[in-house]
Amino acid sequence: MNKLVIIGCDRSAGEALRSLQETGYCLPEGVIYQPLPCGGSLDVLHVLRALESGAERVLVLSCYADACRSFNGNTWAEKRTAAAQALLTEAGLGQERITYRQVSPNMSADLGAWIHTLINLEPVEAQDRA
Amino acid sequence: MIIAERKPIQEITASLVPYKNVLMVGCNTCVAVCLAGGAKEVSVLSAVLRLALRENQPELTIAERCVERQCEAEMNAELATEIGSYDAVLSTACGVGVQTLAEQFPETVVLPALNTKFMGRPEELGVWSERCAGCGNCVLDRFGGICPVTRCSKNLLNGPCGGSANGRCEVDPVNIPCAWQLIYDRLARLGQLERLTAIEPAKDWSTSRHGGPRRVIRKDVKL
Amino acid sequence: MPNTSVVIIGGGISGVAAALNLAQRGVAVDLVEREPRLGGNTLDVCCKAVNGQCQHCGGCLVAERLRAVCAEPLVTVHLSSTITNIQPAGDTFSYQLVTANVKQAKSARAVIAATGFDHIDARTKGPYGYGALSMVITGEDMERRLRAEGQSVYDCAVLRDVAFIQCVGSRDEHANRGWCSQVCCRYAVRLARLLGARSPQTNITIFKMDIQTAGRDSQAFALAQQEGIRFICGLPAVVRRSEKDSAKAALLFDDINTGQFRTNEFDLVVLATGIEPRSDALQLAETLGVERNRFGFLASQDGAALSIPGIFAAGCCQSPRSISESIVHATAAAEACYRYLQEHTQ
Amino acid sequence: MNKTVAVLGGSADAGWVVEELLALSYSVAWVGQEDLPDSPRSDGLRAYPRSRVSAVSGCVGSFRLELSAPPERAVIDAAAIIVAMGNQRLPLGADARIPAHPRVLSTQVLAERLSAPRQISGIAPAQRQHILFALDMLELSGKQAVVETLELALRTHDTWHCEVSVLYRELQVDSDLLESLTRTMREQGIVFHRLQDALPVVDDSGVHVKHADGVLDGDLLVIAPVVRPRSDSAELAGLLRIALGADGYFQQLNVRSYRPGLSNRKGIYLAGRCHLDADDAGARADAAQAAANVAILLGQDHLQPETVIAEVGSTKCIRCLTCIRTCPHAAVELAAYGQVTAAKVVELACFGCGACAANCPVRAITMKGIDVPVWLQEAALV
C-alpha cells in the first residue's frame, strides 16, 4: 500500500474529512492526515519531510480563493507546493509525488475520491521506469 | 546587506559526488534575511538533497547546523569539535562565509551552496535589488542619493544615455528604471537640478576592485 | 446572564448560528431539531467554486459551526425532537419538548423561530414534467448529487445541452407564490458556471425573468455571460419528451427576438425551484399568534423581532435568504433576543 | 477595559451604527470628514465632525486614532473601530454616453424639483407628460439605486399625476420592499419596459429609448445613480492597515468575512455601503450586524486570544521583517523585549494562520495550540 500524507487546512480539508468520517469512512491504512491551522502555515519543509520519512505521495489541501479565513493562506499553500514541486523537479525526482488540491468543507465526497485515486496509483519510481 | 541565491540543485549534487558524510552549515545573517541560507533553507536544501541522492548515493548523510554569522571565525568555533568527522562542508553562506570556513578549517573541504549576487535591499517581500557596488569612493552626494555606478546599466556618471525611454532602461525596460531619470526626478524634487549642469569628472577607480583585494584598517581600533 | 434560557426552534444554519451567538454571550440555549442531524437544508449544498475561485455560496460556512455548537456547553441540542403546546406564561414561555414520544415540560425566557424553508415541490409546476421526465431535475437534486457523489458526477461528454429554468414556483401569482425566492438565480448561475467549467463542450442556456444580481457580491452573472452561458428572457411554456430522441427534453418557448414560439432540445433541464416557509413555521405562527406576511413568512417589525415580544425569527422563516445572509440574520436575531433578555431580567 | 468604539464616516450608514452602539450602551467616538448628521443626544457620544484620521496605532482592545481637525488635534482611544464611510455616486455627466440635455436628469435633481413648489420647479406637470425612469442604463444598478429610483418614480406618479414608465434590464425584486414596490407601481399603472442595447436619443421633441417592444417616447429621462466606492477609501484603508477589494470597496469578497463585515484585522469592522451594496433597510441591518460584532468582541470582561496563535522566540529572531511583511492581519510588529528588539506577535490580533511561522527563515516562530509532529518540522537527526 502506498503511503500518503495529507497536509491540509483544518478549516476546509479537516472539516471535509471529519464529515466523511461521520458517514463511517476510515482513512485507509498508510494514509496520514496532518492538519494545519491554515494553508498559510504550510512549509516547503513539511512536504519534503513527509517524503523523506517514507511517504510515496503528499496531498496538500487548502481553501479556494476568497474562502480562506486569512485571505491569502490558500495562495501561500499553492505557492509553497509549487516550490516543493519545483525543487523535486530540479533534483530530477519529478513533481508527481506532490499533489495540490483546493477543497472546501462540503467536498467530502471529492476528498474520498482523491484519496482513493492517489493510493491506487503506481509508485512514482515504477512510473518513471515505465 | 549581501544578497545571495541558491545554486541549481544539479550543480550542488554534482559537487557532493565524492563525499559520504556532509555537514551543511547555514548563516543566520544576510543570507537568512534574503531567505537563501538561514536555518530554514538549510533544512529545506538538505531534505531535497537527501531525497535527490537517496538512490544514487544512498550512503550519503547530511547533517544540519546554522551559525549566527559565518564570516566570523569566533562564531564558527562551535563547529570545531565535529567538523573533522565530515568529508565536506556545504555552506549556505555568502562567499565570505564559505572562505572563512575554508580558512578556519584548512583540512576540511568547503563547498558553496549559494551564488553571492550583490549588495542590495528588499524592495518588497520576495524581491531584492542591487543598490551598492562597493566602489570605495561614494558619489551619492552629487546624485540625489541615487547611485549611478550601481543603478545605471552603463555606470554613466554623466548620463543619461540615448537608451532611456519613458523612464526605463533599454537593457531591461520592464525591470530596470533609468537611474538617470530617478536622479533627475529626485534632484528636481530637492530643487537641486542645477547640479546636473556640472560635468562630473572621471572617477578615481583606484578605490574599487581595480587595485586588487581591498582592506580597511582602523588604526585607532587595531592594537 | 445565568439561569436564563432561550429555546431555538430549528437546527438549520440559522438556529445554529443564533445558538452560538447567544452562548457566546453567556445565555443557555435549548436547540430543538426535528431531524436526527443538525444542519437542515444546508447539508445538501455543494461547493460551487470554479477555476479555483470561490463563488460565495456559503455552503462551506456550515460544518465548523455545526461542530462548534455541539461543543458549546451552554447549548443543549435536542435531535429528533419537536415542540408542542408552546404558550406565553407571564414573562416566560412554556412548552413541551417531545423526543421519541417522551414529553418533557420546559420553559424559556424567549423563543427564536428558525424553522427554515421547504423547497417548493417542482411537481406543482406540471407543464415542466418534473417527476415524469428523467432528464428534468431540480437545482436541489443537482446540488445534492454534487455534494454526495462529488464534483465529477456531471462531468461527462453526454451533456451537450443543458437548460436552467428560473422562477419555478417563485414570482408565480397564479400559484399564489408571488415572492422572489432570492436564492435561485444565484444558485442556478453558480451551478451553470460550475458545469460550464467542468465540461467546456456543454452549451448552457438559462431561461429567466430577471436575474436578481444587484450589487457587489453578484459578479457571477457578468462572468457567466463572458463564459458563454446564454440567457434567454422568458420562461418556457412547456417541457416535453423529444420526439426525435427520447433521452432529450424539448422546451417550447417564446423567442423574444423573433416573436415566434420555438422548440429547443436539451439533454438535461434543471428547474431552479424556489423556497417557501416550512409548515412548522405556519403551525408555530398559529399556536403563538405571531403575524405572518401575505406570503406566509413570519412578519417582523424590525429586523428579527416578531409581533409578540420575546419571540424572534432567524433566517428563512422570515424571508428567503442565502446561507451567509441567514447567518448574519441569525446573529442579529440573537442580539435582539439578548437585548430583550437584558431588559426583561432584573 | 476601555469600551469606546470609534465609528468612522459621516454617512447615514454611520449614523445607524452609532444608534445601534448607543443602544448597547457603548461609548461612541464618531468621526466624519463632513458635518455629521443629527443623532440622538447621548452622554455616550462624542462627535468629531469635519475631522480626518491622520494616524492609527495599537490593536484590538486598544486602538489609538489621531485626528486632524483644524485648528486642533484630537486623540481617541478605542477598543474597536467600525468603518462606515458609505459610498459615493457619480455625477450624471461622468459618463459621456449619457447625453447632456435639460431633458435628462439625475434622480437627485428630480427629487429636488418634486419637493419644490410648482412655480419654482420650472416644469408644468401635466397628465400628458411622460417621465421615463431608467435603471441599468450603463451597468446593472445596485440595490440602493434601484430602490431610490423606483420610490422616486412612484412619488413622481403620485405627486404630478403624470405618465411614468420604468426601463430596466434585470428588474430587482429580491427583497420584501422591492417586491411590494414593483407590485404597487404596476397596480398604479406604471409600465415597465425591458431596455435594449441602445442609448437614449434626446432632441427637442423629447427623449426616445429603444426597448424590447419598440421605442418609448417621453418628455424627461431620469437616470438611476451610479455608485462607486468613495475616493478616500484607499487612504483610510492604508491608515487602518485593512484591505480593499479589487473593486475599491473595503475588503475583498471573501465568503468568510464579506457578509458579516469582518476586516482582515481583529477589532476593525465594516458596516454599510462602504463594503456592500444595500438599500437603506439592508444598510440598517448591516449596522446592527456591525454592532453585534462589537458586542461579541467586547461582551466579555476581557479579550481572549484565539486558541491557536503564533509566538516569536525573541532570542532566535534576526529582525528580518519577513513575518511583519507576511502577516495578512497586521498582527506582527517590532517590539522591545527588555533591551532587545525583535518581532512580536500581538496575541489578541493574531488569527493563528501561521503564515509568519512558515516564512520565518530562522524558524524563530512557533504555533501555540496546534500540534505539528516533530517529524514534519525538525531536521533529520543524523
Side-chain angles (χ1 to χ4, degrees):
Chain A
M1 183 62 79
N2 279 330
K3 198 171 157 195
L4 172 68
V5 173
I6 304 169
I7 308 177
C9 166
D10 208 39
R11 290 177 192 279
S12 52
E15 292 294 351
L17 186 61
R18 283 186 285 272
S19 36
L20 198 57
Q21 285 164 335
E22 275 165 20
T23 64
Y25 177 90
C26 289
L27 275 183
E29 202 184 327
V31 181
I32 297 172
Y33 166 64
Q34 176 56 49
L36 295 175
C38 166
S41 53
L42 177 79
D43 194 327
V44 174
L45 201 58
H46 293 149
V47 180
L48 297 175
R49 293 287 297 126
L51 292 175
E52 254 198 290
S53 67
E56 175 63 26
R57 289 170 196 276
V58 178
L59 172 61
V60 177
L61 298 169
S62 73
C63 303
Y64 285 96
D66 278 3
C68 170
R69 179 171 174 265
S70 288
F71 304 96
N72 52 18
N74 59 310
T75 316
W76 284 121
E78 191 172 358
K79 273 176 176 280
R80 296 213 184 93
T81 313
Q85 288 173 327
L87 279 169
L88 289 196
T89 308
E90 217 185 314
L93 293 170
Q95 59 178 44
E96 56 275 53
R97 286 166 178 277
I98 308 172
T99 308
Y100 172 76
R101 286 265 192 277
Q102 288 167 311
V103 69
S104 66
N106 48 355
M107 279 173 66
S108 44
D110 298 271
L111 178 59
W114 297 335
I115 295 173
H116 182 78
T117 308
L118 285 173
I119 59 172
N120 287 298
L121 284 175
E122 289 274 294
V124 175
E125 269 88 25
Q127 282 185 338
D128 287 350
R129 278 185 221 110
Chain B
M1 72 183 157
I2 292 169
I3 310 297
E5 183 175 57
R6 177 176 54 72
K7 281 178 176 289
I9 288 176
Q10 302 283 6
E11 191 184 330
I12 300 172
T13 51
S15 74
L16 292 180
V17 167
Y19 310 108
K20 289 193 169 57
N21 195 11
V22 174
L23 177 69
M24 270 191 79
V25 183
C27 171
N28 271 352
T29 309
C30 308
V31 292
V33 174
C34 68
L35 312 181
K40 151 90 164 295
E41 292 303 316
V42 167
S43 296
V44 169
L45 184 56
S46 70
V48 176
L49 291 174
R50 278 191 292 267
L51 284 168
L53 298 172
R54 196 151 62 174
E55 214 154 290
N56 298 334
Q57 279 177 264
E59 69 285 14
L60 178 81
T61 60
I62 303 174
E64 303 169 16
R65 301 287 180 272
C66 201
V67 297
E68 190 175 339
R69 209 155 69 233
Q70 217 179 91
C71 51
E72 305 276 16
E74 288 88 337
M75 291 185 170
N76 300 333
E78 58 186 87
L79 304 171
T81 52
E82 57 169 344
I83 204 161
S85 58
Y86 295 94
D87 304 341
V89 168
L90 180 63
S91 162
T92 63
C94 67
V96 186
V98 175
Q99 294 186 57
T100 307
L101 284 182
E103 272 176 51
Q104 192 176 352
F105 304 109
E107 313 297 322
T108 305
V109 174
V110 184
L111 306 167
L114 304 185
N115 290 324
T116 306
K117 306 286 278 193
F118 50 77
M119 285 181 274
R121 64 174 287 263
E123 272 179 24
E124 56 179 286
L125 192 61
V127 180
W128 295 269
S129 61
E130 186 165 12
R131 285 293 182 276
C132 179
C135 73
N137 183 7
C138 193
V139 294
L140 283 169
D141 59 324
R142 271 106 76 197
F143 299 102
I146 290 150
C147 176
V149 178
T150 318
R151 302 185 68 187
C152 168
S153 301
K154 298 176 183 171
N155 313 350
L156 292 181
L157 298 179
N158 289 290
C161 70
S164 172
N166 303 318
R168 311 304 292 180
C169 171
E170 65 177 339
V171 170
D172 180 357
V174 176
N175 293 310
I176 308 178
C178 169
W180 276 94
Q181 181 75 51
L182 297 177
I183 291 168
Y184 179 90
D185 292 345
R186 174 110 167 107
L187 289 178
R189 196 151 183 189
L190 297 173
Q192 297 178 358
L193 274 180
E194 78 286 352
R195 279 179 183 274
L196 292 177
T197 57
I199 303 291
E200 178 71 17
K203 181 171 158 65
D204 176 6
W205 289 101
S206 66
T207 55
S208 184
R209 289 277 306 121
H210 308 271
R214 294 166 283 177
R215 302 180 92 184
V216 171
I217 298 172
R218 279 276 300 274
K219 287 195 176 130
D220 57 330
V221 180
K222 190 177 184 315
L223 274 176
Chain C
M1 223 179 291
N3 302 327
T4 55
S5 79
V6 172
V7 62
I8 299 180
I9 308 170
I13 188 60
S14 300
V16 166
L20 278 174
N21 188 283
L22 283 172
Q24 273 177 320
R25 309 282 256 130
V27 178
V29 174
D30 284 298
L31 181 59
V32 183
E33 166 59 44
R34 74 156 60 201
E35 299 294 326
R37 287 187 69 186
L38 290 177
N41 285 306
T42 60
L43 296 177
D44 293 329
V45 175
C46 67
C47 175
K48 304 177 199 70
V50 284
N51 306 323
Q53 185 81 31
C54 165
Q55 289 205 71
H56 318 111
C57 76
C60 53
L61 300 174
V62 179
E64 63 185 341
R65 285 178 172 80
L66 295 189
R67 200 169 315 285
V69 86
C70 294
E72 179 55 66
L74 281 173
V75 179
T76 314
V77 178
H78 306 276
L79 295 175
S80 308
S81 302
T82 51
I83 273 176
T84 56
N85 298 341
I86 186 161
Q87 53 195 330
D91 232 9
T92 64
F93 297 86
S94 68
Y95 62 94
Q96 277 195 321
L97 179 69
V98 186
T99 310
N101 296 327
V102 180
K103 288 186 182 175
Q104 194 186 346
K106 293 185 71 104
S107 75
R109 308 289 310 234
V111 180
I112 296 182
T115 49
F117 68 89
D118 272 331
H119 294 276
I120 290 169
D121 184 357
R123 266 173 275 262
T124 58
K125 192 82 178 173
Y128 288 166
Y130 180 73
L133 298 173
S134 60
M135 72 299 271
V136 178
I137 63 170
T138 63
E140 181 204 356
D141 296 338
M142 179 175 258
E143 291 233 21
R144 187 176 288 152
R145 271 196 79 188
L146 284 164
R147 171 80 185 250
E149 297 170 49
Q151 303 236 328
S152 53
V153 67
Y154 288 103
D155 189 8
C156 51
V158 188
L159 297 179
R160 301 282 312 173
D161 298 286
V162 177
F164 284 78
I165 303 178
Q166 298 307 116
C167 299
V168 177
S170 304
R171 296 182 72 184
D172 186 350
E173 297 287 358
H174 300 299
N176 203 20
R177 292 197 182 100
W179 67 88
C180 166
S181 292
Q182 301 188 32
V183 293
C184 351
C185 280
R186 295 187 248 179
Y187 79 63
V189 171
R190 286 171 184 143
L191 286 172
R193 291 189 67 213
L194 187 67
L195 281 191
R198 275 169 204 271
S199 43
Q201 72 274 28
T202 303
N203 304 311
I204 301 171
T205 309
I206 297 182
F207 292 91
K208 51 101 183 175
M209 287 205 240
D210 299 289
I211 290 289
Q212 302 299 313
T213 58
R216 193 189 171 206
D217 50 344
S218 305
Q219 298 152 336
F221 178 44
L223 288 169
Q225 286 174 309
Q226 282 167 28
E227 288 160 5
I229 292 171
R230 205 155 58 111
F231 288 85
I232 291 183
C233 206
L235 304 181
V238 66
V239 180
R240 290 199 199 96
R241 191 180 294 281
S242 162
E243 285 163 15
K244 287 174 247 160
D245 180 351
S246 63
K248 291 193 177 204
L251 267 69
L252 180 68
F253 65 99
D254 184 2
D255 187 341
I256 200 166
N257 294 316
T258 60
Q260 304 281 313
F261 271 96
R262 260 176 60 187
T263 304
N264 277 14
E265 302 206 337
F266 294 92
D267 302 299
L268 185 69
V269 177
V270 186
L271 307 181
T273 45
I275 62 184
E276 61 188 353
R278 260 189 91 106
S279 46
D280 309 29
L282 314 185
Q283 276 172 17
L284 186 74
E286 248 163 56
T287 327
L288 281 166
V290 178
E291 283 171 24
R292 295 191 283 141
N293 72 13
R294 68 181 180 286
F295 299 132
F297 293 95
L298 300 180
S300 69
Q301 265 63 32
D302 178 20
L306 297 181
S307 54
I308 295 176
I311 309 182
F312 303 84
C316 288
C317 61
Q318 192 259 336
S319 167
R321 283 190 168 82
S322 69
I323 292 177
S324 41
E325 287 163 354
S326 293
I327 294 173
V328 168
H329 187 248
T331 309
E335 277 304 314
C337 177
Y338 181 80
R339 233 188 281 179
Y340 165 86
L341 291 174
Q342 267 188 323
E343 284 158 17
H344 290 78
T345 308
Q346 292 322 326
Chain D
M1 188 171 60
N2 169 11
K3 292 212 173 177
T4 301
V5 181
V7 178
L8 309 184
S11 63
D13 299 355
W16 291 319
V17 172
V18 170
E19 269 177 41
E20 290 286 337
L21 288 170
L22 291 175
L24 290 168
S25 355
Y26 288 101
S27 311
V28 177
W30 187 5
V31 184
Q33 291 192 9
E34 313 80 357
D35 286 317
L36 295 175
D38 288 333
S39 57
R41 287 182 60 84
S42 159
D43 294 339
L45 175 65
R46 281 208 64 178
Y48 299 85
R50 295 174 301 283
S51 302
R52 122 191 334 260
V53 178
S54 56
V56 180
S57 57
C59 72
V60 55
S62 54
F63 288 109
R64 170 160 287 194
L65 295 93
E66 287 171 37
L67 307 184
S68 51
E72 82 232 66
R73 296 166 60 84
V75 172
I76 298 170
D77 288 310
I81 297 172
I82 297 179
V83 180
M85 69 198 305
N87 55 16
Q88 65 182 34
R89 51 189 57 197
L90 297 183
L92 204 50
D95 196 301
R97 287 173 292 172
I98 300 291
H101 193 280
R103 289 185 184 275
V104 181
L105 311 178
S106 67
T107 48
Q108 199 176 345
V109 169
L110 184 77
E112 282 161 16
R113 288 200 195 165
L114 211 53
S115 323
R118 280 189 180 198
Q119 56 274 32
I120 302 173
S121 73
I123 12 176
Q127 289 211 339
R128 64 176 183 284
Q129 209 173 18
H130 186 187
I131 303 186
L132 314 182
F133 289 81
L135 304 164
D136 311 331
M137 188 56 107
L138 300 173
E139 61 185 37
L140 288 185
S141 297
K143 214 160 222 171
Q144 181 186 6
V146 171
V147 170
E148 191 180 307
T149 309
L150 292 182
E151 281 181 338
L152 186 67
L154 187 58
R155 191 146 67 89
T156 308
H157 185 264
D158 290 349
T159 314
W160 286 347
H161 307 292
C162 53
E163 196 182 339
V164 167
S165 299
V166 177
L167 294 144
Y168 66 94
R169 281 171 207 277
E170 305 291 335
L171 189 61
Q172 304 303 310
V173 291
D174 59 339
S175 73
D176 294 347
L177 174 67
L178 282 168
E179 195 277 332
S180 60
L181 194 57
T182 49
R183 178 190 303 258
T184 311
M185 290 169 79
R186 286 198 163 103
E187 281 165 6
Q188 300 210 3
I190 295 174
V191 186
F192 288 74
H193 296 279
R194 196 179 287 272
L195 274 169
Q196 291 293 76
D197 283 324
L199 290 164
V201 176
V202 193
D203 54 33
D204 292 340
S205 71
V207 204
H208 317 284
V209 190
K210 232 176 120 184
H211 63 90
D213 307 314
V215 177
L216 199 62
D217 301 307
D219 300 291
L220 286 178
L221 176 65
V222 184
I223 308 235
V226 174
V227 290
R228 289 284 181 270
R230 273 179 66 120
S231 51
D232 49 357
S233 300
E235 188 195 339
L236 184 63
L239 285 169
L240 293 169
R241 293 194 285 160
I242 59 175
L244 286 188
D247 55 4
Y249 286 102
F250 281 93
Q251 194 56 279
Q252 55 186 336
L253 292 170
N254 187 299
V255 71
R256 290 175 192 269
S257 63
Y258 167 57
R259 279 280 167 198
L262 306 178
S263 79
N264 55 313
R265 286 188 77 191
K266 284 261 160 84
I268 302 184
Y269 304 99
L270 311 170
R273 289 166 279 216
C274 66
H275 80 120
L276 48 66
D277 179 68
D279 53 18
D280 283 359
R284 209 177 255 270
D286 201 50
Q289 163 72 23
N293 281 332
V294 167
I296 294 164
L297 177 78
L298 304 178
Q300 269 100 43
D301 297 334
H302 58 280
L303 298 177
Q304 284 281 353
E306 302 227 347
T307 48
V308 176
I309 52 170
E311 186 179 38
V312 180
S314 60
T315 53
K316 279 187 166 182
C317 174
I318 58 167
R319 297 161 286 282
C320 68
L321 310 178
T322 307
C323 48
I324 296 174
R325 292 178 180 140
T326 308
C327 179
H329 307 295
V332 195
E333 56 188 31
L334 274 184
Y337 293 78
Q339 299 295 309
V340 185
T341 304
K344 183 182 179 112
V345 176
V346 180
E347 290 195 354
L348 292 174
C350 177
F351 280 60
C353 75
C356 54
N359 266 317
C360 178
V362 293
R363 289 195 277 148
I365 305 181
T366 47
M367 299 306 293
K368 283 202 292 190
I370 188 156
D371 205 19
V372 177
V374 173
W375 63 267
L376 267 182
Q377 45 185 350
E378 291 299 316
L381 297 171
V382 180

